[in-house]
Amino acid sequence: MLHTARFYIDLAKDEAYLIERNLGITLEQLKYKVGKKFVGITAWVIQKYGIRLFFTVDFVKLLNKSNIQEADYEQIERKIDEFILFVFHDASFLDRICMTRLDYRRDVQIPMVERELLLSLYRKTTSKHRHQVKDLRYKTTLYFNSKSIISCVYGKPEL
């Protein structure tokens, strides 16, 4: 199932100024302004090697349901369009959106005894596998990370 996606739009200086003027805020305040208006969308601007507006869409929060289907695509697109129009007051920016990341999720219910056994066994696995490095930073979560793939195993009730 789909979970989240990250997008960006490259901006010129005058387009960044347009955001500040339209919303009456500084670029640093964009995250808070968008957070108040849109559930499931987080936005921020990075000004390094140019100006780029990033935004992450959490589909589960955006639609307030956990099972995202292909039929939900139009509703998601409408909400993203609404976000872009809120920020820029101009629909031409819709054609400039680039997706950088798409996260999937799979929820599996496992009885508590088996869950504890599996987490214990996962913790004992090799520290590297297929260019992924094991990360045991958290007690209830196990990560395997590479530059492009992150696998995460955790006990949801324990978080």
Side-chain angles (χ1 to χ4, degrees):
M1 258 177 283
L2 285 178
H3 186 256
T4 58
R6 180 167 294 159
F7 305 90
Y8 75 87
I9 300 173
D10 283 324
L11 303 172
K13 286 186 180 185
D14 60 328
E15 294 169 333
Y17 174 71
L18 182 67
I19 295 173
E20 294 178 327
R21 194 182 70 202
N22 288 342
L23 300 178
I25 59 169
T26 64
L27 293 177
E28 291 79 25
Q29 297 169 321
L30 179 66
K31 185 174 191 169
Y32 305 107
K33 185 85 169 184
V34 169
K36 287 180 183 178
K37 174 94 171 138
F38 296 94
V39 174
I41 299 179
T42 307
W44 65 98
V45 174
I46 294 180
Q47 299 182 54
K48 186 177 181 181
Y49 311 117
I51 304 170
R52 191 172 271 183
L53 167 71
F54 284 95
F55 62 99
T56 301
V57 179
D58 184 330
F59 301 115
V60 175
K61 290 180 182 176
L62 187 71
L63 300 179
N64 196 24
K65 66 182 210 176
S66 59
N67 191 9
I68 309 300
Q69 302 293 324
E70 189 174 339
D72 298 321
Y73 174 76
E74 286 182 27
Q75 187 179 2
I76 291 169
E77 189 175 31
R78 267 195 314 274
K79 291 190 182 241
I80 292 173
D81 292 353
E82 185 182 322
F83 160 73
I84 295 297
L85 289 172
F86 171 76
V87 173
F88 294 105
H89 298 189
D90 185 356
S92 67
F93 287 89
L94 294 169
D95 296 332
R96 295 172 44 189
I97 298 173
C98 297
M99 181 188 292
T100 60
R101 178 176 163 171
L102 184 61
D103 296 336
Y104 295 92
R105 70 181 203 154
R106 181 173 179 145
D107 293 333
V108 179
Q109 291 183 338
I110 300 174
M112 187 56 122
V113 175
E114 291 178 35
R115 184 179 326 148
E116 289 173 358
L117 177 62
L118 282 171
L119 281 171
S120 172
L121 289 172
Y122 284 146
R123 288 186 174 286
K124 294 178 182 179
T125 60
T126 182
S127 62
K128 280 187 165 185
H129 178 67
R130 293 186 177 175
H131 305 289
Q132 291 182 309
V133 178
K134 183 167 55 173
D135 183 350
L136 297 170
R137 211 177 329 178
Y138 305 105
K139 183 181 176 186
T140 61
T141 307
L142 177 64
Y143 290 97
F144 285 93
N145 302 325
S146 72
K147 289 183 180 179
S148 60
I149 297 173
I150 299 174
S151 299
C152 174
V153 178
Y154 62 93
K156 207 170 198 174
E158 297 171 20
L159 290 177

